[in-house]
Amino acid sequence: MNRRILIIEDEQRIARILELELINEGYIVELAADGVQGLARAIQEEWSCILLDLQLPGQSGFQVLEGIRKQDSRTPVLILTAREAVEDKVKGLDLGANDYVTKPFEFLELSARIRSQIRARQREEAPAEEDLLKLDALTADLKTRQVRREGKLIDLTPREFDLLAYLLKHKGQPVGREALLSEVWGFDFAGQTNLVDVYIRYLRQKIDQGFKKKLIATVRGVGYSIQEP
């Protein structure tokens, strides 16, 4: 994930102090001084975290937060404000804020809260180990059904994905055409095994074509396997 933080804050002194401290911690920091500009940047660009004041010109922080959450449910938003009323805290959290920090604040605590929210999002977005099939630089996410090789997203049809997933679950093992027909297509008889050959060809065109290493191998007299090159 990128390390970009958006600060939506109209008090220039506070915004500048936060900007310098966060840059010192290795973040890329951008500033917006009013609610209209802040909302536009929040929803048009990708951020690791957004720091949001409530008392803003143009649009209030609550309006900005509501606008963000209509477009983006994942980016952490930390409200950073002088408003201490319980009603404001409840409203901010109900609108989708991840945290609520009142001014004045200690930067070390704020920094820890930012790191905590970024880690939480990373854990949420990371595929569970059991959902991710891997071979060399190829990955197939069983949950999202996304396939990547060397970071490049590869578009597969549902049947092609199921075929690849089955091969990856049995990587390094020769798998017969009849077994593939049974497990991937659900055929319980040995019939049109050339259907497997056709789909293997489709898969090779997407998985192997254009890459130096070829992962899908033909096992003579048996069928196919996917293995380390």
Side-chain angles (χ1 to χ4, degrees):
M1 181 184 291
N2 66 56
R3 288 178 60 82
R4 299 181 70 227
I5 291 182
L6 175 63
I7 301 173
I8 308 175
E9 169 66 71
D10 67 321
E11 293 188 47
Q12 291 186 5
R13 183 182 64 84
I14 293 176
R16 181 59 175 161
I17 290 171
L18 283 171
E19 180 184 26
L20 292 174
E21 292 283 6
L22 290 168
I23 288 173
N24 190 52
E25 295 216 344
Y27 295 102
I28 298 168
V29 183
E30 301 287 344
L31 305 178
D34 64 71
V36 175
Q37 180 192 17
L39 176 57
R41 296 206 64 182
I43 63 178
Q44 290 171 7
E45 302 175 49
E46 186 176 350
W47 307 97
S48 298
C49 187
I50 297 172
L51 303 184
L52 175 65
D53 187 24
L54 290 182
Q55 295 172 288
L56 296 167
Q59 284 187 319
S60 73
F62 288 133
Q63 290 174 309
V64 173
L65 177 58
E66 193 169 13
I68 291 172
R69 287 301 180 233
K70 285 180 179 178
Q71 302 288 330
D72 175 4
S73 63
R74 300 180 304 162
T75 301
V77 177
L78 277 68
I79 290 176
L80 198 58
T81 180
R83 295 168 66 164
E84 298 181 340
V86 172
E87 293 82 2
D88 288 330
K89 294 180 181 180
V90 170
K91 183 175 181 179
L93 295 171
D94 281 347
L95 286 173
N98 298 82
D99 205 345
Y100 193 109
V101 180
T102 55
K103 303 172 184 176
F105 55 84
E106 292 290 337
F107 179 76
L108 287 177
E109 180 185 353
L110 176 64
S111 178
R113 289 174 182 262
I114 291 171
R115 291 195 301 272
S116 175
Q117 292 300 331
I118 292 175
R119 285 197 302 269
R121 180 181 174 185
Q122 289 173 333
R123 286 195 299 270
E124 181 182 306
E125 293 185 341
E129 195 65 32
E130 61 270 20
D131 290 332
L132 198 64
L133 302 174
K134 300 178 184 179
L135 179 68
D136 195 51
L138 174 71
T139 61
D141 188 330
L142 297 176
K143 195 170 184 180
T144 64
R145 297 179 71 86
Q146 286 191 342
V147 175
R148 294 179 184 273
R149 186 165 182 192
E150 296 180 6
K152 177 185 175 184
L153 187 63
I154 298 172
D155 184 29
L156 298 183
T157 66
R159 187 72 72 190
E160 289 166 353
F161 182 89
D162 292 341
L163 176 57
L164 175 65
Y166 189 82
L167 289 172
L168 284 170
K169 289 176 182 177
H170 299 83
K171 60 186 176 184
Q173 304 172 25
V175 182
R177 292 175 177 84
E178 289 80 7
L180 290 170
L181 275 175
S182 174
E183 298 298 327
V184 178
W185 277 266
F187 296 169
D188 57 1
F189 61 90
Q192 299 293 325
T193 56
N194 63 324
L195 181 65
V196 174
D197 300 329
V198 170
Y199 271 82
I200 287 289
R201 186 170 70 250
Y202 294 158
L203 204 53
R204 279 174 165 156
Q205 288 171 352
K206 297 181 178 182
I207 297 298
D208 281 341
Q209 194 165 294
F211 295 95
K212 186 176 180 180
K213 299 177 179 178
K214 309 304 179 187
L215 302 180
I216 301 174
T218 300
V219 182
R220 292 188 180 279
V222 180
Y224 300 95
S225 72
I226 191 166
Q227 57 196 21
E228 295 279 0

